[in-house]
Amino acid sequence: MDITIHTSFLPHDDPDASLVFYRDVLGFEVRSDVGQGKMRWITVGPVGQPGTSILLAPPAADPGVTEDERRTIAEMMAKGTYGWILLATRDLDGTFEKVQAGDTEVVQEPTEQPYGIRDCAFRDPAGNLIRIQEVR
C-alpha cells in the first residue's frame, strides 16, 4: 500500500480569525476557501509542501450531529480540549518568537521534554492546541 496523510481537520468558530492565524502568523498558504460566513471550509498548508494540508472547518456542520453533540463540541472548543495538531520545525526558538509576536495564547514555551523531544505549544483562535516540536 502507498498511503499518505494528506489533510487533517481542525475546527474553527471564526473563519476570519483562523485564517489570519494560519496564514499570517504560521505563514501557511491558503489553498482553498469555500462557503460564506461561519460556514467556510478553508484549506491551508505549509508553503512548498502541497501534499500536506489542514482543513479548517465549521465544527458541527455535519447534519448527523445532534444538538447535544453541537453543544458538547462548542463547550470543548471553549475549553481548548477539542482539537489539536502537532507541527514540526528545525528552528523552534525562531518559530516560537514569530508565533508569540502574533498575539497568540502561549500554552508552553520551548521545553526539553523528558521523553526526548523539545517543543512548545499555542492555542489558535478556536482554542485548538498547536504543538510545535523541534526536528533534530
Side-chain angles (χ1 to χ4, degrees), residues 12-131:
H12 71 66
D13 54 3
D14 181 338
D16 292 325
S18 291
L19 182 61
V20 167
F21 176 79
Y22 286 93
R23 182 193 58 208
D24 301 343
V25 176
L26 291 183
F28 285 0
E29 64 185 10
V30 178
R31 299 185 177 148
S32 71
D33 186 347
V34 298
Q36 58 186 338
K38 290 194 173 229
M39 298 301 284
R40 285 168 59 193
W41 286 259
I42 304 166
T43 304
V44 297
V47 174
Q49 298 178 42
T52 304
S53 298
I54 299 171
L55 174 62
L56 305 169
D62 184 332
V65 175
T66 68
E67 283 305 315
D68 284 345
E69 291 167 333
R70 283 187 176 87
R71 189 173 27 262
T72 298
I73 290 168
E75 289 170 359
M76 290 180 72
M77 286 177 66
K79 289 174 53 180
T81 58
Y82 186 66
W84 69 281
I85 194 163
L86 177 61
L87 305 175
T89 181
R90 293 190 182 282
D91 180 13
L92 185 65
D93 293 316
T95 301
F96 178 80
E97 288 179 24
K98 289 179 186 172
V99 176
Q100 184 181 31
D103 195 26
T104 303
E105 179 186 346
V106 175
V107 176
Q108 174 203 301
E109 294 189 7
T111 303
E112 188 72 40
Q113 300 292 352
Y115 40 88
I117 65 166
R118 186 167 181 264
D119 66 356
C120 64
F122 300 91
R123 291 211 186 279
D124 78 2
N128 298 305
L129 183 64
I130 312 298
R131 295 201 74 84

